[in-house]
Amino acid sequence: MEKRLLLSMVLCLLILLAYQAYVEKQHEQWKAAHPEAEGLHEIQADLDGLDPKGVVASKGLAEEFQEQEEELGDVPRDVRCEEVIVDTPLYQAVFCSRNGRPMRWTLKNYQRNKPCECPVPGLRKAGLPESTDGGSPACVERIHVQGPEEYPLALEISMGGKRIPIREALEPDRFRLDLNDGEQPARITFSGTDSRGREVERVYTFAPETYMVGLEVKIAGLEPALQEAGLAMRLTERIPEGASNRYTFSGFMAFINESLEKEKELDAGEPLYYDGNVHWEGFSDKYFLTSLLPVDNPDSSVNLEQLHSADGQTPGLFISRLIYNIQDHLQGNTARFAYSIYIGPKDLDVLRDTGHFLEKSIDLGWFGFIAKPLLVVLKFFYRYTHNYGIAIIILTILIKVLFHPLTRKQMESMRQMQKLQPKMKDIREKFKDDKERLNREVMDLYRTHKINPLGGCWPMLLQIPVFFALYKALLNSIELRHAPFMFWIQDLSEKDPCYITPIIMGATMFLQQKMTPAAGDPNQQKMMTFMPLIFTFMFLNFPSGLVLYWLVNNVLTIGQQFVSQRRKQ
C-alpha cells in the first residue's frame, strides 16, 4: 500500500516534469529556427463595434482601416522617424521623432542569451549567443513589433462604437538625453498637432536609478462631441507560439481588482474586457515585464485582443488598451492624462521597490506563498556568497535541517516495515487467492506491531509543496538567469552543457535507493530501480540550478541514512 502510493506520486511527478521538458525543448527548437522572428508580416488594424458591455468586436481589418483614413483625411502611412535616444545606466530607449512612440527599448544589464560551452573535449556544446554583429551577445530587447503602426503607446479615441487613432505629427525638444547615476530626473517633450489640428503633447520623465518612466499626455482643442468619449493608450507585443508552457508564462498579464489576470492566447475576433481598479496591465514573459500603469485614474478599463497573421506562421499581434474617460481629465477643452511605464526585469526586489503591486507579476503558482520566502532567503545568502550556486547549496542544507525530524521518522517507519517483510511474504503466499482476506490480515499485522503503513509517506508528502515551490522559484527566478556557478556551469538557468551534474545526480539516487530499506511488493521494488535512470534522462535538460538542488539534497539524504544506519548497529 505504501509503495503504491509512493509509486503513484513519483509517476505523477515524472509525467509533469517530462511534459515540461518536452515543451521547453520544442520552444528552443522554434527559437533556433526563428532567432528574431524574421519576416513578420505587418498588420495594421483598428477595431469598432463596441457592444453594450464594452467588448470590442472585430471587423474586416482592411475596410476598417480605410474607413478611418477617409474620416481623418489624407494622412501619410509612411512615418519616417528620426531616432530620439534616451540612455540611462539601466536601459536605452529609442523613440520615433514623428509620433513620440518608442521603437526600441533595450535593457543594458541583461543579455539575450549567454554563450555556454562545455570545456570537456568531445561533449556537445550548448547555448549559442544571439548577436547582431557576430561578436558579443546582444542585450534584451523589449519591443517586438513591425513598423510604425505597431509601435506601442499609440493613442485612440473611442466614440460612437469607433476606435479612431490619433495621428500625431510631433517634434521633440531634444534628440538625445544621457542620464548617469546620481543625476536628477530629466524630460523629453514631443509636441505638435494631430490630423485634426488638435494640439498634442507627450512629456516623458526618466530617472537613472529606476526602470519606471513617467508619461503625461495633453490634448488641446477637443471638440464637445469628443469630451464624452474615451481615450485609449495602446500596448502592443508579438509573442511566439510555444513561448508559454505549463511552468513558464508569456502573454498578457494585468493586476486588476486585486486579482492577477493572464492570457497567453486569444481567438481572433474574441477580445476581452476588464474594468475596475487597474493597478497595471501589459505583457510578461519568464523574466521581463512591459507594463502600463494608470495615474490619477482609479477606475480604468482594459481591452485586449490578438490579431493573427494570414500565413499562420507569424506570431499574432497582441493589443491591449488602457482606457480613460476623457471627461474626468478635462479643463475647458484641454485634457491631461498621466501614466507610468515599467519596462524591466521581474526581479522581486526591484519590483517591490517600484511599488504598484508589480511584484504580483512573479507568479509562482499554487505554492507561491512558500516560493517567495524561499526566493528571499536565496537572495539573502547570495548577498554574502556572491554566487547563486553556493546560495542554492546553503538553502538546500537549511531545508534539509528543517525537515530532518520528518526524514528520520520516515526512515524509522521504513525500517520497521522491512522487519515485517518475512511475515508479509507468508501472508501473501497463504492468501494469494483471497484479496479481501489478504488485505485484512496485512492490516491486522500493522495493528499488532503498531505500525502506520503510511508512516514512510507522510513526511514525503509534507515536503512535496516545498519541493514544487523551490522548483518554481529556481525555474522562474531572473536572479539565476546567466548566473555562473563554477567550472563549466556558467548559467544556472540553463542545462548543464556537459551533462555532468545530472549524471552524478542519477548516481546519487541509485546509491540512495540501495541504502533505503526495501519494503513492499517485489515487483514494485523492481520498477522503482528504474527511477534513477528515468530521472537522469529527465534532468539532462533541466536548469542546472535545479539539478544542483536535487543533487545536494540526495547527498545530504545519503549522509543521513549512513549516520542512521551506523547508530542502529
Side-chain angles (χ1 to χ4, degrees):
M1 182 176 181
E2 175 187 346
K3 283 294 183 179
R4 289 194 186 98
L5 179 59
L6 178 59
L7 181 61
S8 63
M9 290 164 44
V10 172
L11 289 177
C12 289
L13 175 63
L14 287 174
I15 292 171
L16 291 175
L17 297 181
Y19 174 78
Q20 187 266 342
Y22 169 76
V23 174
E24 285 193 349
K25 183 177 180 181
Q26 294 295 109
H27 176 45
E28 290 300 321
Q29 292 176 350
W30 190 97
K31 288 199 300 183
H34 307 80
E36 286 296 323
E38 293 287 345
L40 294 177
H41 288 262
E42 185 172 328
I43 299 177
Q44 297 176 329
D46 295 283
L47 303 175
D48 69 348
L50 283 174
D51 68 14
K53 295 182 180 179
V55 180
V56 182
S58 177
K59 191 176 181 180
L61 299 180
E63 296 138 307
E64 174 64 13
F65 198 89
Q66 184 178 3
E67 287 178 15
Q68 293 179 0
E69 290 287 85
E70 292 171 355
E71 182 178 357
L72 290 169
D74 185 18
V75 180
R77 291 191 184 186
D78 186 15
V79 179
R80 298 188 181 278
C81 299
E82 294 184 59
E83 292 186 349
V84 179
I85 299 174
V86 178
D87 194 84
T88 80
L90 301 177
Y91 58 86
Q92 183 183 86
V94 179
F95 293 82
C96 173
S97 62
R98 289 285 292 165
N99 55 30
R101 289 153 58 186
M103 302 186 293
R104 299 192 300 276
W105 205 287
T106 306
L107 304 183
K108 297 166 68 174
N109 296 329
Y110 297 92
Q111 296 177 348
R112 281 208 299 266
N113 197 9
K114 185 176 182 179
C116 183
E117 298 183 357
C118 178
V120 180
L123 292 183
R124 190 178 65 175
K125 297 178 179 180
L128 297 176
E130 294 182 25
S131 175
T132 57
D133 58 4
S136 60
C139 293
V140 167
E141 173 58 49
R142 288 303 300 156
I143 295 178
H144 311 102
V145 295
Q146 293 290 301
E149 286 296 327
E150 293 185 5
Y151 292 156
L153 305 185
L155 295 171
E156 295 177 340
I157 289 177
S158 173
M159 182 186 66
K162 297 285 186 180
R163 295 280 190 195
I164 304 175
I166 296 178
R167 299 190 175 280
E168 305 135 293
L170 308 179
E171 291 290 338
D173 61 353
R174 65 174 90 179
F175 280 86
R176 187 170 185 99
L177 173 61
D178 292 285
L179 287 174
N180 299 313
D181 285 325
E183 294 184 351
Q184 293 298 313
R187 295 183 171 186
I188 289 185
T189 300
F190 295 84
S191 56
T193 60
D194 69 0
S195 59
R196 294 290 194 182
R198 310 180 192 99
E199 296 181 8
V200 179
E201 184 178 85
R202 291 171 176 255
V203 181
Y204 292 91
T205 303
F206 306 92
E209 73 283 352
T210 178
Y211 290 97
M212 191 76 89
V213 175
L215 171 58
E216 297 177 2
V217 175
K218 183 183 77 171
I219 304 176
L222 286 168
E223 302 91 329
L226 295 183
Q227 295 178 8
E228 299 297 327
L231 183 80
M233 176 77 76
R234 295 186 2 163
L235 278 183
T236 50
E237 179 65 296
R238 289 188 184 272
I239 300 172
E241 184 180 355
S244 289
N245 56 54
R246 188 180 183 88
Y247 297 105
T248 59
F249 174 83
S250 292
F252 172 80
M253 185 179 284
F255 193 62
I256 302 174
N257 296 326
E258 317 309 317
S259 176
L260 185 66
E261 305 289 345
K262 298 194 299 182
E263 293 292 338
K264 61 182 179 180
E265 187 176 9
L266 297 179
D267 293 332
E270 296 185 10
L272 296 178
Y273 181 82
Y274 309 89
D275 62 359
N277 186 11
V278 179
H279 292 282
W280 53 265
E281 61 91 10
F283 299 99
S284 170
D285 59 20
K286 184 176 180 180
Y287 295 122
F288 301 98
L289 175 68
T290 298
S291 63
L292 186 63
L293 299 80
V295 176
D296 298 327
N297 195 79
D299 291 321
S300 308
S301 59
V302 175
N303 173 267
L304 175 68
E305 63 166 329
Q306 185 178 13
L307 306 178
H308 296 279
S309 61
D311 61 11
Q313 302 297 321
T314 303
L317 178 68
F318 271 97
I319 302 175
S320 71
R321 298 175 175 89
L322 180 61
I323 305 171
Y324 285 5
N325 188 337
I326 293 178
Q327 183 67 43
D328 296 338
H329 300 269
L330 272 175
Q331 295 177 347
N333 68 346
T334 300
R336 299 177 183 272
F337 310 89
Y339 309 85
S340 291
I341 305 161
Y342 179 89
I343 303 179
K346 291 168 64 173
D347 181 295
L348 185 60
D349 291 340
V350 172
L351 294 175
R352 281 179 172 172
D353 291 344
T354 304
H356 305 280
F357 300 97
L358 286 173
E359 71 275 7
K360 299 293 184 180
S361 64
I362 304 178
D363 185 15
L364 298 176
W366 292 348
F367 301 115
F369 66 98
I370 301 175
K372 286 186 178 179
L374 291 175
L375 186 56
V376 170
V377 174
L378 182 68
K379 298 185 72 169
F380 171 80
F381 290 141
Y382 174 77
R383 284 198 290 268
Y384 294 95
T385 63
H386 304 289
N387 186 306
Y388 272 108
I390 297 176
I392 290 173
I393 293 174
I394 297 175
L395 178 61
T396 308
I397 294 173
L398 177 61
I399 294 174
K400 202 66 178 176
V401 170
L402 293 176
F403 281 102
H404 175 69
L406 291 176
T407 304
R408 185 172 59 185
K409 184 176 181 181
Q410 178 185 5
M411 291 179 180
E412 180 62 29
S413 177
M414 295 178 71
R415 189 177 293 107
Q416 292 176 357
M417 291 286 291
Q418 186 185 32
K419 293 179 179 179
L420 292 181
Q421 288 309 298
K423 295 182 179 179
M424 292 281 288
K425 184 177 181 181
D426 293 340
I427 292 175
R428 290 193 184 98
E429 289 294 330
K430 185 175 181 180
F431 302 105
K432 60 183 179 181
D433 297 326
D434 189 347
K435 296 295 182 182
E436 183 177 348
R437 179 69 183 278
L438 172 61
N439 292 332
R440 189 164 60 249
E441 291 293 332
V442 168
M443 295 307 298
D444 288 341
L445 182 64
Y446 288 150
R447 281 193 292 268
T448 301
H449 291 83
K450 298 180 180 180
I451 294 178
N452 181 1
L454 297 179
C457 289
W458 283 119
M460 181 177 293
L461 287 173
L462 293 175
Q463 295 180 60
I464 285 179
V466 176
F467 166 76
F468 274 109
L470 187 59
Y471 172 75
K472 290 285 285 185
L474 296 179
L475 186 65
N476 295 287
S477 171
I478 194 172
E479 289 79 6
L480 267 63
R481 185 178 185 270
H482 298 171
F485 177 36
M486 59 178 61
F487 305 126
W488 67 94
I489 299 179
Q490 295 298 310
D491 188 348
L492 287 165
S493 69
E494 293 292 336
K495 65 182 180 182
D496 183 336
C498 299
Y499 305 113
I500 293 176
T501 50
I503 293 173
I504 298 176
M505 184 275 299
T508 58
M509 285 190 68
F510 179 78
L511 179 58
Q512 179 185 345
Q513 194 176 72
K514 289 298 182 182
M515 296 178 65
T516 303
D521 186 87
N523 293 326
Q524 293 177 3
Q525 293 176 26
K526 291 179 181 178
M527 291 180 62
M528 295 295 290
T529 58
F530 289 99
M531 290 303 170
L533 184 62
I534 295 173
F535 267 70
T536 299
F537 277 103
M538 277 200 324
F539 273 63
L540 288 176
N541 293 311
F542 272 29
S544 54
L546 183 65
V547 179
L548 179 63
Y549 159 74
W550 197 283
L551 170 59
V552 174
N553 183 74
N554 286 351
V555 171
L556 294 175
T557 302
I558 290 171
Q560 285 180 317
Q561 290 177 320
F562 179 77
V563 172
S564 176
Q565 291 174 2
R566 289 292 298 271
R567 287 178 177 176
K568 294 298 180 180
Q569 290 178 356

